[in-house]
Amino acid sequence: MTPMILVQISDPHIRQPGKLAYGQVDTAAALQRTVAAIQRLPQPANAVVITGDLVDFGRPEEYAHLRRLLAPLSVPVYLLAGNHDEPMALRAAFADHAYLPPTGPLHYAVDLGPLRLIALDSHQPGCSHGALDAAQLTWLEQTLADAPEVPTVIALHHPPFETLIGHMDRIGLREGAAALEALVRRHPQVERVICGHLHRAIERRFGGTLAATCPGTSHQVCLDLAPQAASCFALEPPAFRVHAWTAHSGLVTHLMPVGEFAGPFPFHDAHGLID
């Protein structure tokens, strides 16, 4: 059975053409490499979701650049706002993305064939941390109740759990995490809660399912679990997640590094295992 594939990328942090993030990182070139890697997947993606920090300063020129970089993708692309984003500029640049509500929180639900994707807006204007208020959680409860039998992926930018990376947890989801976990536990059709923000692959049990963050498309947050560790990034290999669904297996998630690597090579030839 051919799986339905939802690719998740996160935190591209696109700047204006020619600008490097932090004076070092060519985030546009990194996103180009990520798009090329998605296009090389043996089983093509059915949809792509980007879990926030689409651009670095929320400027219209950055969103225009992002559009150009995503243009080679021939499948639907679903966007979330992160703390670096500016919702009105995002809406204006992607006005043809009909799933984006014209006003209010940038939350939505879309059907992806056998899967349902629900996006939550944890963005807080002018803040690095995130929050989910009572109105958003009420909307989520009703949206989940509307389709209790449909396997569902919930996406948001800020992870609703501690990662033990202290400086990132201090700008994590400050409000609504416990309520979200209790809500998810009431809706067993939720297969996964997927997030960005951390620029690393991190997993945790959450509300009877699994919550996980996705690496960035370019730079990664340093893995230092000392509570007062400095806020630093490293040019570790980028990666994206491949969420594959079949009715038999449920949702199975893979981590795919970005790059060009030698292979594939056979393990066996006509005479058996290659010595």
Side-chain angles (χ1 to χ4, degrees):
M1 179 182 295
T2 301
M4 183 274 167
I5 292 179
L6 171 64
V7 165
Q8 177 194 3
I9 66 177
S10 202
D11 297 85
H13 286 271
I14 297 303
R15 293 199 174 188
Q16 293 166 259
K19 295 284 188 178
L20 300 180
Y22 314 109
Q24 297 188 55
V25 186
D26 189 342
T27 58
L31 182 56
Q32 285 179 312
R33 289 191 292 270
T34 301
V35 167
I38 293 169
Q39 292 174 305
R40 289 195 300 269
L41 288 172
Q43 288 75 42
N46 298 97
V48 173
V49 60
I50 311 180
T51 44
D53 283 357
L54 309 175
V55 303
D56 224 14
F57 291 102
R59 295 167 178 160
E61 299 85 356
E62 293 174 334
Y63 287 112
H65 196 194
L66 175 66
R67 275 200 76 116
R68 291 190 293 269
L69 294 166
L70 295 175
L73 293 171
S74 59
V75 299
V77 177
Y78 298 99
L79 307 173
L80 279 74
N83 50 288
H84 282 253
D85 289 300
E86 204 296 307
M88 292 309 297
L90 168 58
R91 285 183 171 104
F94 292 89
D96 56 329
H97 284 225
Y99 60 87
L100 290 172
T103 60
L106 283 171
H107 58 208
Y108 54 85
V110 291
D111 291 321
L112 307 177
L115 276 182
R116 195 177 191 215
L117 173 66
I118 297 178
L120 293 177
D121 185 359
S122 60
H123 170 274
Q124 293 292 290
C127 300
S128 295
H129 69 268
L132 297 173
D133 62 20
Q136 277 225 68
L137 292 167
T138 298
W139 174 86
L140 175 62
E141 183 95 63
Q142 183 58 60
T143 302
L144 286 167
D146 288 343
E149 305 301 323
V150 181
T152 299
V153 174
I154 296 175
L156 69 161
H157 180 65
H158 297 83
F161 59 89
E162 288 189 356
T163 67
L164 305 183
I165 299 177
H167 64 94
M168 294 302 294
D169 287 339
R170 287 189 284 277
I171 58 168
L173 192 70
R174 289 191 185 173
E175 299 175 21
L180 176 64
E181 183 166 19
L183 192 160
V184 168
R185 195 177 299 277
R186 293 194 293 273
H187 296 275
Q189 78 268 33
V190 177
E191 290 278 341
R192 203 76 84 245
V193 178
I194 63 173
C195 317
H197 194 50
L198 262 291
H199 292 243
R200 299 205 68 84
I202 307 169
E203 296 85 26
R204 180 184 181 275
R205 289 200 300 177
F206 183 84
T209 184
L210 182 69
T213 66
C214 182
T217 59
S218 53
H219 53 291
Q220 312 308 322
V221 169
C222 291
L223 180 56
D224 188 338
L225 304 184
Q228 299 304 319
S231 175
C232 296
F233 70 91
L235 298 180
E236 297 176 24
F240 57 91
R241 290 195 181 269
V242 176
H243 304 284
W245 167 268
T246 71
H248 177 72
S249 66
L251 192 67
V252 179
T253 297
H254 299 262
L255 188 68
M256 183 67 186
V258 174
E260 296 190 26
F261 312 101
F265 303 108
F267 288 107
H268 301 81
D269 62 15
H271 305 290
L273 186 66
I274 296 172
D275 189 351

